């Protein structure tokens, strides 16, 4: 990996990617000063700001607005026919340009906050030492979906009017998670409710925020993509307020739209009240086969492949083929800064207490720029993965003895990452790396993972277009020309400070400062931890950035489909025929187990071939250009791929013990 710890060339583009990095000295404004003091700004100026504002790599808000809620066309046309022509004619005769009419999705969210606060001013803050009980009461009484957590005893300066220093954010969804976790851990009701929220809040450097000039369409898109329902609006180091999905939906509605006879007759009277004999419908026919499989455990056949940087030698790395010289491309994996592990251990299930097989896997990508400081970049990443496996083996051994080790249960990927990181630091190993660790739970059909940096996971699944919802259909290729419905069901989130500058676990010999939000060195607590439901037949691909920087996701799908068809796992994309074969007990588990490594190997070699091709626009090159960095061709790098093929029957040796 060629990312460096602090790269000066990328600082100019970092605002596009550092939306989640709030400054540590922000505060919450005492008053909004919006009533009677709104600034006059022409519609033309607003439009210019909207269209030129960069967000998430896009330079025009209109690219975000295709699926955003907008004023109905019929209403626009009716209004235009009644008023626009007359007003435009009058304005033209008077020599005055007619105002530009904005769609609702193009309105700045500062206007949403003004409308919200004009109707009702509620300060969405709570003290950091407040209990869960107090937080729930505040949410309900004030009608809040989220609150900024503040330290009332700590202000930014003596002469400011801020109501304390902002420490983080907590949402109503977080409060439910806190309560659920407490009850799950066997805590009493009083103990659960007495927990302080500062121990569970989202820290500043992970808070996703919006800017006042961004539009409703942009914010709605960000919320949908990231799965969040509220965002603080940050302006000049102050949180002006919190905007929610409901605020965005309600904006533009008048009081008469919510009340009165007409509103009741139109919106309520014909759809209120369920009859006493109401029941739940049976699952759709196309889901019944999947639901039948849900009752049975799943298994994962795991295969691993890795290739070092093609221009790597024991003396260093060539920048290109000319620097490397007339040699064969490197095939010595001992030179790779990537590391990985995969193992299957038997641990007690947290719910039932019964022991069951747990499949764990992980990858780490060492930061190569440590080499210029005389540090071997391989040391940190390799020891990190080794310690991850050691933690699991120790937990399994303790479970066999019936000990009381804290890991005498299913260990979460976040816990493994945190404990392994502490062990590497205790060894005094200098360096850093990205990390991605996952747990495959075949009983619950879940993949739990924790990812820090630009490694990641994608899940491929066959989705029948004939029965899938409109949003899941393949719209690029006509149905008559389609040979398969294998598509991407999930892509994990990656974390970067700026372009080619990922989050990293690292150790410099000194502890990180608290609230460090500007550097790339993070802790396991900063990782993106999530879970995804998996199904029989899914292909789970975990890899370092050597794959994702050089092979487009659509190309990955093509390679995976080719592998499936070569091994008879599916024929001509016929999902129904595959399910009939499963129902007859023909799982092809052994074929999958023997050949799953071939898929990992194919992906690794495709990544290498693309990385040395100077005449193609790789995913890395495309993203570089979007961030104003000229780059052509691929990105030569170490590449590690771990494939998990989800099957319905166990094989003799489905998980290789590798590190």
């Amino acid at each position: 990996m060629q990312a460096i710890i602090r790269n000066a060339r990328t600082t100019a583009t970092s605002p596009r990617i550092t939306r989640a990095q709030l400054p540590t000295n922000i505060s919450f404004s005492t008053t909004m000063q919006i009533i009677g003091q709104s600034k006059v700004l022409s519609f033309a100026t607003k439009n210019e700001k909207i269209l030129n504002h960069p967000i998430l790599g896009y330079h025009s808000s209109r690219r975000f607005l295709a699926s955003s809620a907008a004023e109905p066309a019929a209403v626009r046309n009716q209004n235009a026919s009644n008023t626009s022509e007359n007003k435009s004619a009058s304005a033209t005769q008077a020599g005055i340009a007619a105002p530009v009419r904005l769609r609702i999705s193009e309105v700045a969210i500062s206007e949403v906050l003004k409308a919200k606060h004009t109707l009702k001013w509620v300060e969405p803050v709570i003290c950091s030492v407040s209990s869960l009980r107090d937080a729930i009461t505040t949410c309900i009484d004030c009608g809040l979906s989220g609150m900024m957590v503040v330290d009332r005893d700590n202000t930014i300066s003596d002469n400011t009017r801020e109501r304390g220093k902002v420490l983080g954010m907590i949402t109503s969804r977080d409060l439910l998670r806190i309560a659920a976790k407490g009850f799950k851990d066997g805590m009493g009701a009083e103990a659960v409710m007495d927990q302080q929220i500062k121990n569970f809040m989202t820290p500043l450097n992970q808070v996703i925020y919006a800017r006042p000039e961004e539009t409703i369409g942009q914010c709605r898109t960000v919320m949908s993509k990231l799965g969040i329902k509220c965002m603080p609006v940050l302006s000049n180091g102050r949180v002006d307020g919190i905007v929610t999905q409901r605020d965005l939906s309600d904006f533009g509605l008048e009081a008469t739209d919510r009340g009165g006879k007409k509103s009741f007759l139109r919106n309520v009277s014909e759809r209120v009240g369920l009859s006493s004999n109401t029941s739940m419908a049976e699952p759709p026919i196309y889901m019944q086969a999947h639901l039948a499989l849900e009752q049975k455990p799943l298994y994962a056949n795991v295969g691993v492949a890795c290739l070092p940087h093609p221009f790597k030698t024991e003396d260093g790395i060539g920048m290109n083929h000319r620097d490397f010289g007339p040699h064969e491309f490197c095939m010595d994996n001992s030179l790779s800064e990537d590391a990985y592990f995969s193992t299957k251990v038997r641990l007690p299930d947290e719910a039932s207490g019964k022991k069951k097989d747990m499949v764990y896997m992980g990858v780490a990508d060492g930061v190569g720029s440590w080499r210029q400081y005389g540090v071997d970049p391989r040391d940190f990443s390799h020891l990190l993965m080794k310690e991850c496996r050691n933690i699991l083996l120790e937990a399994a051994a303790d479970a066999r003895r019936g000990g009381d080790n804290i890991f005498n249960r299913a260990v979460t990927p976040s816990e493994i990452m945190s404990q392994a990181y502490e062990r590497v630091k205790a060894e005094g190993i200098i360096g850093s790396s990205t990390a991605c660790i996952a747990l495959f739970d075949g009983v619950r059909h879940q993949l739990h993972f924790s990812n820090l940096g630009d490694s990641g996971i994608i899940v491929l699944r066959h989705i029948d277009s004939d029965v899938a919802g409109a949003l899941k259909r393949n719209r690029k290729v006509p149905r008559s020309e389609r040979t398969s419905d294998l598509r991407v069901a999930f892509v994990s989130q990656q974390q970067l400070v700026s372009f080619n500058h990922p989050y990293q676990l690292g150790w410099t010999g000194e502890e990180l400062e608290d609230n460090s939000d500007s550097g790339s060195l993070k802790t396991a607590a900063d990782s993106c931890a999530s879970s995804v439901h998996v199904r029989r037949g899914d292909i789970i691909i975990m890899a370092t950035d050597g794959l994702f920087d050089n092979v487009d996701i659509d190309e990955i799908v093509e390679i995976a489909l080719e592998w499936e068809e070569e091994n008879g796992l599916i024929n001509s994309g016929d999902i129904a025929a595959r399910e009939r074969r499963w129902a007859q007990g023909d799982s092809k588990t052994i074929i999958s187990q023997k050949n799953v490594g071939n898929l990992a190997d194919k992906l690794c070699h495709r990544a290498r071939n693309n990385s040395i091709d100077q005449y193609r626009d790789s995913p890395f090159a495309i993203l570089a250009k979007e961030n104003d960095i000229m780059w052509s061709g691929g990105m030569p790098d170490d590449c590690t791929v771990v494939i998990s093929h989800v099957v319905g029957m166990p094989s003799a040796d489905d998980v290789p013990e590798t590190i």
Side-chain angles (χ1 to χ4, degrees):
M1 183 177 67
Q2 301 301 309
I4 65 172
I5 296 177
R6 299 186 184 275
N7 191 340
R9 72 175 184 180
T10 61
T11 55
T13 60
S14 60
R16 297 185 188 174
I17 305 178
T18 56
R19 174 183 292 272
Q21 296 178 2
L22 287 178
T24 58
N25 61 342
I26 66 170
S27 59
F28 197 90
S29 303
T30 302
T31 176
M32 301 305 298
Q33 298 182 350
I34 60 171
I35 303 176
Q37 300 183 32
S38 59
K39 296 182 179 179
V40 178
L41 185 65
S42 70
F43 283 108
T45 304
K46 286 183 180 179
N47 260 349
E48 183 178 357
K49 285 189 174 183
I50 291 171
L51 295 178
N52 292 330
H53 182 71
I55 174 174
L56 296 181
Y58 290 86
H59 298 279
S60 170
S61 65
R62 296 190 182 276
R63 295 179 67 176
F64 268 90
L65 303 178
S67 60
S68 302
E71 189 175 359
V75 176
R76 292 199 307 273
N77 294 336
Q78 182 179 359
N79 291 340
S81 61
N82 293 338
T83 62
S84 298
E85 293 181 1
N86 295 334
K87 290 185 178 180
S88 299
S90 301
T92 303
Q93 294 174 0
I96 303 174
V100 178
R101 181 166 183 155
L102 285 178
R103 305 167 77 180
I104 289 180
S105 57
E106 295 174 331
V107 175
I109 57 171
S110 58
E111 299 298 324
V112 177
L113 280 181
K114 288 179 181 179
K116 176 181 179 179
H117 293 151
T118 300
L119 290 175
K120 182 181 179 181
W121 167 252
V122 177
E123 190 176 43
V125 299
I126 191 168
C127 185
S128 59
V129 296
S130 299
S131 65
L132 178 61
R133 181 187 293 103
D134 296 334
I136 293 175
T137 302
T138 302
C139 275
I140 294 174
D141 291 348
C142 300
L144 299 174
S145 297
M147 300 174 288
M148 304 308 296
V149 181
V150 300
D151 182 359
R152 294 293 192 186
D153 298 327
N154 186 357
T155 55
I156 303 303
S157 63
D158 295 336
N159 58 355
T160 56
R161 302 174 61 188
E162 284 82 4
R163 298 286 189 87
K165 182 179 181 181
V166 176
L167 302 179
M169 183 178 181
I170 198 161
T171 67
S172 56
R173 188 184 300 174
D174 294 331
L175 301 180
L176 290 174
R177 289 196 186 103
I178 296 169
K181 184 177 185 303
F183 291 130
K184 190 175 180 180
D185 292 342
M187 299 174 62
E190 288 297 321
V192 170
M193 290 300 170
D194 288 339
Q195 296 179 97
Q196 292 187 345
I197 60 170
K198 67 180 180 182
N199 299 322
F200 304 95
M201 67 180 183
T202 302
L204 286 180
N205 61 354
Q206 296 184 31
V207 174
I208 307 296
Y209 66 91
R211 305 176 182 93
E213 67 271 18
E214 291 170 353
T215 65
I216 291 176
Q218 289 174 329
C219 290
R220 183 182 289 117
T221 301
V222 172
M223 288 181 174
S224 299
K225 287 183 176 181
L226 300 182
I228 57 179
K229 62 178 182 179
C230 55
M231 291 195 299
V233 180
L234 186 67
S235 175
N236 299 323
R238 292 184 177 183
V239 177
D240 288 343
I242 296 178
V243 63
T244 67
Q245 289 179 338
R246 181 172 180 176
D247 296 334
L248 303 182
S249 300
D250 288 352
F251 185 78
L253 294 178
E254 301 292 341
T256 54
D257 295 326
R258 296 188 179 92
K261 292 181 180 179
K262 182 178 179 180
S263 173
F264 185 88
L265 291 174
R266 176 179 294 179
N267 303 322
V268 180
S269 63
E270 296 183 358
R271 55 176 56 86
V272 62
L274 298 177
S275 64
S276 58
N277 60 349
T278 300
S279 61
M280 295 300 297
E282 291 293 326
I285 295 177
Y286 59 84
M287 283 299 300
Q288 291 179 3
H290 288 295
L291 292 176
L293 295 174
E294 292 287 335
Q295 309 303 320
K296 301 177 181 179
L298 295 177
Y299 305 90
N301 288 330
V302 179
V304 185
C306 56
L307 283 174
H309 192 297
F311 307 141
K312 183 172 291 185
T313 67
E314 294 182 358
D315 299 325
I317 301 176
M319 295 296 295
N320 49 50
H321 205 168
R322 177 176 296 179
D323 291 340
F324 181 61
H327 309 293
E328 294 292 334
F329 292 139
C330 180
M331 298 296 293
D332 186 356
N333 281 322
S334 66
L335 299 178
S336 175
E337 289 140 24
D338 284 2
Y340 66 90
F341 82 94
S342 64
T343 188
K344 180 170 67 175
V345 293
R346 195 165 182 81
L347 295 172
D349 179 61
E350 197 167 5
S352 64
K354 297 180 180 179
K355 294 179 182 178
K356 64 178 184 179
D357 290 336
M358 308 277 187
V359 178
Y360 289 87
M361 64 207 80
V363 294
D365 184 358
V367 177
S369 58
W370 281 101
R371 192 177 293 104
Q372 61 186 298
Y373 300 101
V375 175
D376 190 338
R378 297 172 295 181
D379 293 345
F380 191 93
S381 58
H382 285 223
L383 184 58
L384 183 69
M385 291 293 98
K386 180 179 179 180
E387 292 298 344
C388 287
R389 184 168 178 268
N390 288 342
I391 289 171
L392 293 168
L393 296 180
E394 291 168 9
D398 193 68
R400 289 193 297 270
R401 294 192 301 266
D404 56 357
N405 189 295
I406 60 171
F407 286 154
N408 184 13
R409 55 177 172 77
V411 194
T412 67
S414 297
E415 290 174 328
I416 297 172
M417 185 182 296
S418 177
Q419 291 296 318
Y421 176 45
E422 293 300 324
R423 292 188 181 190
V424 174
K425 289 197 301 181
E427 291 289 334
I429 302 298
I430 305 297
S432 61
S433 77
T434 64
C436 183
I437 300 171
L439 159 63
F440 176 83
D441 185 346
V443 173
R444 294 183 175 84
H445 299 193
Q446 293 282 328
L447 179 73
H448 310 282
F449 70 90
S450 183
N451 184 51
L452 186 79
D454 57 1
S455 295
I457 293 174
I458 64 174
V459 178
L460 306 183
R461 177 176 302 157
H462 285 275
I463 302 176
D464 193 340
S465 293
D466 291 334
V467 297
L471 294 179
K472 293 294 185 182
R473 288 179 181 152
N474 186 342
R475 301 185 179 187
K476 296 181 180 179
V477 183
R479 187 75 179 96
S480 58
E481 300 177 12
R482 224 173 292 156
T483 58
S484 169
D485 287 315
L486 181 64
R487 292 200 291 281
V488 180
F490 176 79
V491 179
S492 64
Q493 188 181 77
Q494 296 186 5
Q495 301 164 307
L496 301 98
V497 177
S498 59
F499 172 72
N500 202 28
H501 188 179
Y503 285 15
Q504 306 154 29
L505 292 173
W507 177 243
T508 64
E510 299 178 356
E511 289 291 345
L512 295 173
E513 295 181 5
D514 292 338
N515 299 322
S516 176
D517 56 6
S518 60
S520 55
L521 296 186
K522 306 295 182 180
T523 66
D526 298 310
S527 64
C528 174
S530 186
S531 300
V532 58
H533 184 79
V534 294
R535 291 181 177 175
R536 187 175 182 178
D538 284 358
I539 299 174
I540 304 168
I541 303 175
M542 172 189 285
T544 57
D545 62 339
L547 175 69
F548 302 122
D549 283 349
N550 292 293
V551 187
D552 184 80
I553 287 185
D554 290 338
E555 193 174 0
I556 293 176
V557 173
E558 292 176 3
I559 296 171
L561 176 62
E562 179 183 310
W563 173 80
E564 283 188 309
E565 292 180 339
E566 285 178 354
N567 293 281
L569 301 174
I570 196 164
N571 294 314
S572 302
D574 193 340
I575 302 175
R578 184 183 65 170
E579 292 181 351
R580 288 194 297 269
R581 172 169 58 79
W582 287 346
Q584 296 170 0
D586 185 5
S587 180
K588 294 190 181 295
T589 299
I590 303 301
I591 295 176
S592 166
Q593 186 266 330
K594 289 181 178 179
N595 296 286
V596 66
N598 294 341
L599 175 56
D601 193 61
K602 284 186 175 184
L603 290 171
C604 269
H605 280 86
R606 180 65 62 88
R608 165 170 283 192
N609 292 338
N610 290 354
S611 72
I612 59 178
D613 186 348
Q614 300 179 1
Y615 302 101
R616 62 177 285 122
D617 263 343
S618 65
F620 182 90
I622 294 173
L623 189 58
K625 292 170 184 174
E626 290 179 0
N627 285 271
D628 303 323
I629 297 173
M630 295 307 298
W631 189 281
S632 62
M635 177 62 177
D637 199 357
D638 302 322
C639 181
T640 298
V641 179
V642 180
I643 302 292
S644 300
H645 186 221
V646 182
V647 295
M649 298 181 67
S651 60
D653 185 19
D654 48 2
V655 181
E657 292 289 335
T658 57
I659 183 168

